[in-house]
Amino acid sequence: MVSHLQRKPLNEMRGEAKILQEVMKRDSRLRYVGFRLIELAPGASYEEALTEDECCIVALTGRIDVTQGEHVFANIGTRESVFDRKATDSVFVSGGRSFKVQGRSEAKVALCYSPSVKPLPTKLIKAEDVGTEERGKYQNKRTVHNILPDSDSSASSLLVVEVYTEGGNFSSYPPHKHDRDNLPQESFLEETYYHELDPQQGFVFQRVYTDDRSLDETMAVEHGDVVIVPVGYHPVGVPDGYSSYYLNVMAGPQRVWKFHNDPDHEWILNRK
Ligand SMILES: O=C[C@H](O)[C@@H](O)[C@H](O)CC(=O)O
């Protein structure tokens, strides 16, 4: 039985685009975050008119043209696979604007949504401007590409990050949560995980759980799955032999990433 927090790939044609994943506020318990993954053949296009949401258009794989008003971002994207482990290009578009994405090659495009709190300029987030971070030690090492971190004011509510975790390691670990609008101690950010595995037959374990265990789901997550994190801790464990990739979308009432570690496991940070 697949957890209610886990979404398997859709693979549904909609116009010229194949919808691979779609988790929207209207069909989930999320109130801030939305996520759509589309696949475009060369020359195929996808158009959208944003209303209340802003959107980060991530050139996940392949190359695309993005047009928004007078802005034309041609031939963006840096990788054939997310496991090229290179940062990629993205475009930020504020609410109330329309955009078009066209495939230059076979392309997968992640559309990351959250409330447009205020209008902001349409902006190309170049791969070379994406900060890379090595986090963790022992068996919780991972590499993070900060596409839209809270230190970057290009977006009004949206946070987007991608994470690579090698086999035998945990990420989003020690388990942390950000489900209380209680700054400066903790912020409330909903989150989605879009997962890929290399090789593709792999799986990772992800647990989403709360302190009182009123929510406690442990999932075997496969290539192309999305995991929804409305609340709770959300660690990921990667079996030996496999590499994990996930793209996170986060948003909430405050655009601040301030998490709270599970006190039962925070001790691991104190090891020398
Ligand atoms: O809260 C953010 C997400 O859980 C991940 O981006 C996580 O922080 C990645 C990591 O640090 O392992």
Side-chain angles (χ1 to χ4, degrees), residues 135 142 144 161 163 171-173 176 178 191 193 234 246 248 250 257 259:
R135 277 186 202 153
R142 63 274 196 195
V144 179
V161 62
V163 181
S171 58
S172 304
Y173 190 80
H176 68 241
H178 30 73
E191 186 165 19
Y193 277 67
H234 39 276
Y246 52 76
N248 290 134
M250 292 182 275
W257 183 51
F259 56 83

Side-chain angles (χ1 to χ4, degrees), residues 37 48 55 76 79 103 126 135 144 156 172 191 208 255:
L37 182 71
E48 184 169 350
C55 182
I76 65 171
R79 59 199 188 191
K126 294 179 186 170
R135 277 186 202 153
V144 179
S156 75
S172 304
E191 186 165 19
V208 180
R255 190 168 180 264

Side-chain angles (χ1 to χ4, degrees), residues 53-187:
D53 280 348
E54 61 192 19
C55 182
C56 183
I57 304 163
V58 181
L60 204 73
T61 59
R63 303 188 71 82
I64 57 175
D65 296 338
V66 177
T67 308
Q68 190 284 308
E70 75 281 3
H71 301 280
V72 179
F73 304 108
N75 203 25
I76 65 171
T78 64
R79 59 199 188 191
E80 286 314 305
S81 161
V82 297
F83 291 103
D84 295 348
R85 289 174 173 72
K86 294 188 278 190
T88 191
D89 299 318
S90 302
V91 174
F92 172 80
V93 181
S94 232
R97 294 180 183 149
S98 298
F99 65 84
K100 175 179 173 180
V101 184
Q102 188 158 32
R104 276 278 185 120
S105 71
E106 188 81 28
K108 280 194 290 189
V109 184
L111 303 170
C112 311
Y113 304 92
S114 68
S116 184
V117 177
K118 62 180 178 181
L120 289 166
T122 296
K123 176 180 178 183
L124 172 64
I125 303 166
K126 294 179 186 170
E128 60 261 29
D129 296 332
V130 173
T132 297
E133 208 184 317
E134 300 298 333
R135 277 186 202 153
K137 55 187 177 184
Y138 300 108
Q139 278 69 50
N140 62 76
K141 291 192 276 297
R142 63 274 196 195
T143 301
V144 179
H145 291 165
N146 285 302
I147 297 171
L148 261 180
D150 58 3
S151 56
D152 176 344
S153 55
S154 303
S156 75
S157 70
L158 193 55
L159 297 166
V160 181
V161 62
E162 59 184 10
V163 181
Y164 293 88
T165 313
E166 297 310 319
N169 283 271
F170 274 70
S171 58
S172 304
Y173 190 80
H176 68 241
K177 72 179 183 69
H178 30 73
D179 61 13
R180 292 279 180 278
D181 187 9
N182 182 33
L183 287 172
Q185 284 71 30
E186 185 177 345
S187 59

Side-chain angles (χ1 to χ4, degrees), residues 164-239:
Y164 293 88
T165 313
E166 297 310 319
N169 283 271
F170 274 70
S171 58
S172 304
Y173 190 80
H176 68 241
K177 72 179 183 69
H178 30 73
D179 61 13
R180 292 279 180 278
D181 187 9
N182 182 33
L183 287 172
Q185 284 71 30
E186 185 177 345
S187 59
F188 171 46
L189 296 172
E190 296 174 341
E191 186 165 19
T192 58
Y193 277 67
Y194 165 68
H195 288 269
E196 292 204 6
L197 273 299
D198 182 32
Q200 286 189 11
Q201 72 271 24
F203 61 85
V204 296
F205 293 110
Q206 185 161 23
R207 184 184 180 191
V208 180
Y209 68 100
T210 52
D211 285 313
D212 65 3
R213 305 297 191 268
S214 56
L215 177 67
D216 192 352
E217 299 280 323
T218 299
M219 297 157 267
V221 181
E222 297 180 307
H223 183 80
D225 288 359
V226 165
V227 170
I228 300 166
V229 184
V231 291
Y233 302 101
H234 39 276
V236 174
V238 185

